[in-house]
Amino acid sequence: MHNNKPHRNLLYFRGFCFVIAILYWFYQFYVANYKGFGLQFRYLTIWGLTGNVIVTGMLFRRTFYEQKENHFAIVSAVCVLNVLVVFLYWRLYFIDPKLVNYSGSIVWFQEYYLHLLGPLLLFLDSILLNRSFRQFKSGIILALSISFSYVGWTEFVTGPLNNSPAGSKAAGFPYPFLNDMVLADRLEFYVISILTGVFFYALFWLIDRICLSHFWGLAKGG
């Protein structure tokens, strides 16, 4: 079984991605210090990590059993979620680290895995190996569903049920900068962020259609 070298290398790669993702996921429960209602799931970063665990596990399982891959929509949606995490985190971090880390900088290996390496590994698999961006409609609907779910979770559940961090306008929202915004400003931020995610999804779909299909000859998907 798995005598084909390219297939075996893919199995090793996806096994590594799955193992390291699940180890970091368990790290959030047993080592990292999260407080308040919703614990680590208050944070979009952990939503991205959780999605990473799910899809890397699915990809590894299908490679191990040599099954045809058909979860393109969920893999592509989680990939965009992780890319959005990277984009938003570092954009705010380079303005002021306190905008995203109100309790101080997190340990370096966690910071760089959650906000760089983990999303990068999934991105490479999604774009180059799994060719996940072939089901535009279902993929983008799922990506939007994840985004709206996180906004609802933040605005209607974890925000009202927590009192820290506190800002000049509000308290309880997971990232400090959100607590310096009134509702209208937060909604504007959410809309811009969601549209950024749509842009990334469309960009990656175009990369697959225009750039990669020339080399792989991928038939048009759903």
Side-chain angles (χ1 to χ4, degrees):
M1 189 176 183
H2 312 307
N3 290 324
N4 181 274
K5 185 175 180 180
H7 180 85
R8 188 167 63 247
N9 290 339
L10 179 61
L11 180 68
Y12 292 155
F13 172 76
R14 287 179 168 171
F16 169 78
C17 291
F18 176 57
V19 168
I20 195 171
I22 203 166
L23 287 174
Y24 271 95
W25 192 82
F26 278 112
Y27 178 91
Q28 311 310 314
F29 290 93
Y30 293 107
V31 180
N33 182 24
Y34 294 100
K35 297 179 181 179
F37 182 84
L39 300 174
Q40 57 268 48
F41 295 107
R42 296 171 66 189
Y43 302 93
L44 186 65
T45 299
I46 307 305
W47 279 47
L49 175 61
T50 303
N52 202 327
V53 170
I54 293 170
V55 299
T56 54
M58 290 165 51
L59 291 170
F60 173 70
R61 181 180 182 278
R62 290 199 164 273
T63 306
F64 185 84
Y65 289 109
E66 301 186 57
Q67 298 173 330
K68 183 179 179 181
E69 295 183 10
N70 55 15
H71 295 297
F72 302 115
I74 186 171
V75 175
S76 62
V78 172
C79 174
V80 167
L81 171 62
N82 275 266
V83 170
L84 193 58
V85 165
V86 173
F87 175 78
L88 293 175
Y89 181 84
W90 292 110
R91 176 174 174 268
L92 292 165
Y93 183 92
F94 287 124
I95 296 172
D96 184 350
K98 292 181 181 179
L99 292 175
V100 286
N101 295 324
Y102 76 92
S103 59
S105 297
I106 61 177
V107 63
W108 67 269
F109 59 83
Q110 164 140 300
E111 181 167 52
Y112 286 106
Y113 175 79
L114 295 179
H115 304 111
L116 189 60
L117 179 60
L120 177 61
L121 291 172
L122 180 58
F123 173 78
L124 292 174
D125 197 338
S126 300
I127 291 288
L128 297 177
L129 303 176
N130 194 55
R131 305 290 304 285
S132 304
F133 290 87
R134 62 180 76 184
Q135 295 176 335
F136 186 87
K137 292 180 182 178
S138 54
I140 205 165
I141 288 172
L142 183 55
L144 287 170
S145 299
I146 294 171
S147 298
F148 285 119
S149 296
Y150 180 76
V151 171
W153 168 248
T154 300
E155 285 292 324
F156 300 115
V157 183
T158 61
L161 294 177
N162 287 286
N163 54 22
S164 65
S168 60
K169 305 296 183 181
F173 295 101
Y175 296 103
F177 72 93
L178 291 174
N179 296 290
D180 291 326
M181 296 178 173
V182 297
L183 176 60
D185 293 332
R186 293 197 304 274
L187 291 176
E188 180 181 354
F189 173 78
Y190 297 144
V191 169
I192 292 173
S193 299
I194 290 171
L195 290 177
T196 301
V198 170
F199 168 78
F200 280 130
Y201 198 101
L203 175 64
F204 300 153
W205 182 81
L206 285 172
I207 289 173
D208 182 88
R209 285 285 178 238
I210 296 174
C211 300
L212 300 182
S213 293
H214 175 73
F215 300 101
W216 272 272
L218 177 68
K220 187 174 181 180

